[in-house]
């Protein structure tokens, strides 16, 4: 019975939906996390009676035909990259990006990764690093005798050194943007890697056209909306139940047939 | 004498297909811009009997409910919903297809594509490419795209004399067949929104219950006919 298989695809789709939603909820407080959404598409159709076929010798034409769909499939699980809220922390090395762009991070493997979680720290050698100790690119070292560190909105890192009147510029952070940032490959640990879907990065100074600006002392919270996720969860659950009801009905119809003497 | 069996069978076949359609509607309850489908039944009259006409049932077509699904905001600049009658035009490997699912993306070269990677086209049937330094394009209600440059592009929004003649081909696409598209006068593009499916779950659930009960009563008919025949087999030889 076709309905059984069709309903099964519906249940699988809702299961995936719940998986995606639960990951969003689990990462509700993850810095820089971007929520994901599952997108579904209808599957192929079986033509039982083709529309446009002639229905008589006089050339009359079947107006609509019978097409029976065989269910649903997941088309993509894409990331929604809209801006998360700005959380004030007052921390020197907490940097949030307002607008488009990613910080560049050097992985231990030598590859480049990208992140929007700007909760950075200082390594024993004075370098600006991520929570996991990976260097932020371009590598910037803060002198040991620096009294304070300022990162301005265009990414310039300036330090105040004891005994000096002027601020000293020690480096310039840059940002990378992608055509399809939703196509970046997530690595976990708030990091993303370039993929064929994302396209090659284009790197520029914060604040220039197309690039976001940097806010020191802030972190970008996740863009997960708890209320939205819970309502999505409820409707996914109900849709799952309805599809399972189809299976029950199809099963009952088959059992009716089986009772035929 | 077996006519009752065949009439009952024709009903059961039609009901089974109806359940298949309901199952597909429910499976696609959360499919963006999916339109629910219902079968159309007709009487199939067999007139060759001398004094009785027997009517069978036949499903001769499907009807797409073209009413608009709920439009909800997504905040995503590349999500587009169409309010009113109209379709986006998409260039696929199989040819031109039409869709109301405006969940678009940018491919690595900056072309506007659907979730399947097929190109969305403008009025000149050209692909739409976006500049990386201004990837957040703005689309006006009439489909005009502001790319931040001097080029003026417009999404190809079309409609048909009879939308029922479009065939669903999966992936949210429609094949127009022999139908000719013409510009959609009433289509309004809403950026940052998507159209949900117009499946009415309550209606589908009650339809499903009706199908089950009708199927059971058709079965009763078959059973009764069967008993009648058994009785005939038992009693007729005794009358000899």
């Amino acid at each position: 019975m076709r309905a059984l298989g069709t309903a099964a695809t519906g249940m699988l789709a809702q299961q995936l939906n719940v998986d995606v939603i639960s990951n969003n909820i689990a990462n509700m407080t993850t810095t820089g996390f971007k929520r994901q959404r599952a997108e579904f598409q209808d599957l192929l159709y079986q033509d039982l009676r083709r529309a446009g076929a002639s229905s008589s010798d006089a050339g009359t034409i079947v107006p609509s035909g019978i097409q029976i769909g065989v269910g649903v499939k997941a088309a993509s699980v894409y990331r929604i990259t809209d801006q998360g809220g700005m959380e004030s922390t007052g921390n020197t090395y907490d940097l949030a990006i307002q607008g488009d762009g990613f910080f560049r991070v050097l992985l231990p493997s030598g590859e480049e990764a990208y992140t929007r979680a700007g909760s950075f720290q200082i390594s024993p050698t004075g370098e600006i690093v991520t929570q996991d100790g990976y260097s932020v690119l371009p590598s910037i070292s803060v002198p040991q005798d620096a009294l304070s560190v300022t990162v301005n909105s265009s990414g310039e890192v300036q330090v105040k050194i004891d005994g000096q009147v002027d601020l000293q510029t020690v480096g310039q952070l840059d940002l990378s943007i992608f055509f399809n940032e939703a196509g970046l490959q997530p690595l976990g640990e708030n990091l993303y890697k370039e993929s064929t879907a994302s396209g090659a990065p284009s790197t520029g100074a914060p604040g220039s056209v197309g690039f976001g600006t940097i806010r020191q002392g802030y972190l970008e919270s996740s863009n997960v909306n708890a209320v939205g996720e819970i309502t999505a969860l409820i409707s996914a659950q109900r849709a799952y139940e309805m599809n399972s009801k189809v299976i029950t009905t199809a099963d009952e119809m088959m059992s009716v047939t089986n009772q035929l003497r | 004498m077996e006519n009752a069996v065949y009439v009952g069978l024709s009903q059961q076949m039609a009901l089974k297909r109806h359940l298949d359609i309901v199952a597909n509607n429910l499976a696609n309850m959360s499919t963006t811009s999916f339109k629910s489908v219902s079968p159309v039944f007709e009487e199939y009259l067999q007139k060759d009997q001398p004094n009785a006409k027997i009517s069978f049932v036949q499903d001769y077509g499907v009807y797409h409910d073209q009413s608009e699904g709920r439009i909800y905001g997504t905040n995503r600049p590349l999500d587009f919903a169409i309010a009113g009658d109209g379709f986006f035009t998409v260039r696929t490997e199989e040819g031109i297809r039409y869709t109301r699912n405006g969940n678009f993306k940018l491919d690595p070269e900056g072309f506007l594509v659907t979730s399947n990677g097929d190109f969305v086209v403008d009025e000149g049937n050209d692909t739409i490419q976006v500049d990386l330094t201004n990837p957040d394009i703005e689309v006006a209600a009439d489909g005009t795209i502001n790319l931040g440059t001097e080029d003026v592009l417009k999404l190809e929004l079309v409609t048909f004399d009879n939308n029922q003649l479009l065939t669903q081909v999966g992936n949210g696409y429609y094949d127009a067949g022999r139908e000719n598209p013409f510009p959609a006068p009433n289509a309004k593009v809403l950026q940052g929104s998507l159209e949900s499916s117009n499946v009415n779950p309550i209606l589908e659930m009650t339809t499903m219950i009706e199908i089950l009960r009708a199927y059971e009563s058709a079965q009763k008919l078959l059973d009764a006919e069967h008993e009648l025949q058994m009785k005939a087999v038992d009693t007729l030889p005794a009358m000899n």
Side-chain angles (χ1 to χ4, degrees):
Chain A
M1 215 154 161
R2 215 182 273 115
L4 277 177
T6 307
T9 66
M11 288 173 83
L12 283 172
Q14 295 307 334
Q15 205 175 317
L16 176 83
N17 209 355
V18 170
D19 290 345
V20 172
I21 294 167
S22 64
N23 188 48
N24 286 345
I25 293 177
N27 283 294
M28 217 160 76
T29 48
T30 303
T31 306
F33 178 79
K34 301 291 176 195
R35 74 194 155 101
Q36 288 182 295
R37 206 181 97 82
E39 168 79 11
F40 300 104
Q41 286 178 340
D42 44 355
L43 275 173
L44 287 174
Y45 286 78
Q46 291 184 323
D47 265 315
L48 297 185
R49 192 177 187 203
R50 200 167 285 280
S54 69
S55 57
S56 75
D57 291 344
T60 47
I61 280 178
V62 177
S64 51
I66 307 172
Q67 303 169 296
I68 295 189
V70 292
V72 62
K73 70 169 181 208
S76 65
V77 178
Y78 62 92
R79 205 167 295 106
I80 296 180
T81 52
D82 57 356
Q83 179 90 40
M86 288 287 178
E87 195 186 323
S88 167
T89 62
N91 247 340
T92 307
Y93 297 109
D94 280 348
L95 306 177
I97 303 171
Q98 188 168 4
D100 286 332
F102 290 84
F103 293 113
R104 293 158 58 209
V105 173
L106 184 68
L107 296 178
S109 63
E111 286 176 295
E112 224 171 89
Y114 304 91
T115 186
R116 278 185 70 94
S119 48
F120 298 141
Q121 305 208 334
I122 282 288
S123 78
T125 57
E127 202 184 358
I128 299 181
V129 293
T130 68
Q131 295 280 352
D132 294 302
Y134 306 152
S135 314
V136 177
L137 293 175
S139 174
I140 293 167
S141 287
V142 176
Q144 208 164 14
D145 52 351
L147 291 178
S148 69
V149 178
T150 315
V151 182
N152 68 15
S153 64
S154 52
E156 214 178 337
V157 184
Q158 294 174 316
V159 293
K160 167 98 176 128
I161 290 173
D162 200 13
Q164 288 186 11
V165 178
D166 293 332
L167 293 180
Q168 193 187 328
T169 301
V170 293
Q172 162 77 45
L173 287 167
D174 55 21
L175 296 177
S176 287
I177 55 173
F178 298 85
F179 267 126
N180 180 18
E181 50 185 43
L184 288 167
Q185 184 197 342
L187 298 175
E189 305 172 340
N190 293 336
L191 297 173
Y192 299 99
K193 224 166 100 179
E194 177 191 339
S195 76
T196 43
S198 69
S202 152
T203 302
S208 50
V209 180
F211 293 86
T213 54
I214 290 179
R215 294 271 176 276
Q216 189 183 18
Y218 287 87
L219 283 180
E220 183 183 6
S221 48
S222 83
N223 66 355
V224 177
N225 170 344
V227 179
E229 297 299 330
I230 296 293
T231 49
L233 191 65
I234 293 172
S235 60
Q237 185 189 358
R238 294 302 172 214
Y240 187 87
E241 284 170 2
M242 283 180 200
N243 280 294
S244 86
K245 184 83 188 153
V246 174
I247 291 191
T248 316
T249 306
D251 177 50
E252 266 179 66
M253 276 166 69
M254 284 199 293
S255 106
V256 165
T257 309
N258 284 343
Q259 282 158 18
L260 186 66
R261 284 159 295 154
Chain B
M1 180 133 132
E2 285 87 30
N3 276 331
V5 174
Y6 294 131
V7 170
L9 269 180
S10 80
Q11 188 192 1
Q12 284 188 325
M13 298 279 285
L15 286 169
K16 243 177 78 172
R17 279 216 270 269
H18 196 170
L19 182 72
D20 291 340
I21 290 172
V22 168
N24 192 50
N25 287 343
L26 281 172
N28 284 290
M29 215 161 79
S30 26
T31 302
T32 307
S33 79
F34 178 81
K35 300 290 175 197
S36 76
V37 174
S38 29
V40 189
F41 296 105
E42 71 181 355
E43 191 182 30
Y44 182 88
L45 216 51
Q46 191 187 350
K47 292 181 217 154
D48 52 2
Q49 306 283 331
N51 46 13
K53 293 186 186 125
I54 302 171
S55 81
F56 294 87
V57 62
Q58 191 189 21
D59 43 354
Y60 77 102
V62 291
Y63 170 79
H64 304 271
D65 177 3
Q66 293 288 349
S67 68
E68 206 166 284
R70 188 175 55 89
I71 290 178
Y72 60 97
T74 63
N75 257 341
R76 200 177 152 263
L78 292 177
D79 278 341
F80 304 99
I82 298 180
D85 184 20
F87 295 88
F88 295 110
T89 309
V90 177
R91 190 196 291 168
T92 73
E93 279 172 16
E94 287 83 38
I96 295 290
R97 295 286 181 267
Y98 303 93
T99 185
R100 280 179 69 89
N101 181 354
N103 179 238
F104 298 147
K105 304 189 163 78
L106 293 179
D107 77 354
E109 278 94 49
F111 287 104
L112 194 64
V113 294
T114 66
S115 312
N116 292 322
D118 298 318
F119 296 108
V120 182
V121 297
D122 71 352
E123 281 190 321
N125 270 332
D126 278 332
T127 51
I128 296 162
Q129 195 174 16
V130 168
D131 179 13
L132 182 52
T133 53
N134 186 21
D136 296 336
I137 61 172
E138 273 172 47
V139 174
D142 64 348
T144 311
I145 307 167
N146 181 0
L147 290 172
T149 59
E150 284 177 12
D151 298 338
V152 177
L153 296 182
K154 200 161 173 243
L155 284 169
E156 171 83 319
L157 295 167
V158 298
T159 185
F160 301 88
D161 277 332
N162 183 359
N163 288 346
Q164 294 296 334
L165 293 179
L166 302 179
T167 46
Q168 286 170 302
V169 291
N171 302 338
Y173 291 162
Y174 290 89
D175 183 356
R178 278 182 283 193
E179 284 292 283
N180 285 321
F182 60 86
N186 301 323
K188 246 202 209 133
V189 180
L190 303 173
Q191 191 173 12
S193 308
L194 285 177
E195 181 187 6
S196 57
S197 85
N198 70 352
V199 175
N200 179 341
I202 297 165
L203 214 64
E204 300 293 340
M205 294 300 277
T206 49
T207 308
M208 200 160 70
I209 293 168
E210 278 168 21
I211 292 171
L212 177 61
R213 297 302 167 216
Y215 193 86
E216 284 170 345
S217 68
Q219 192 69 39
K220 282 244 166 68
L221 178 80
L222 296 189
D223 282 346
E225 174 70 15
H226 174 75
E227 257 168 50
L228 203 65
Q229 284 181 13
M230 287 306 279
K231 214 174 241 170
V233 171
D234 281 348
T235 39
L236 282 179
M239 282 170 70
N240 218 337

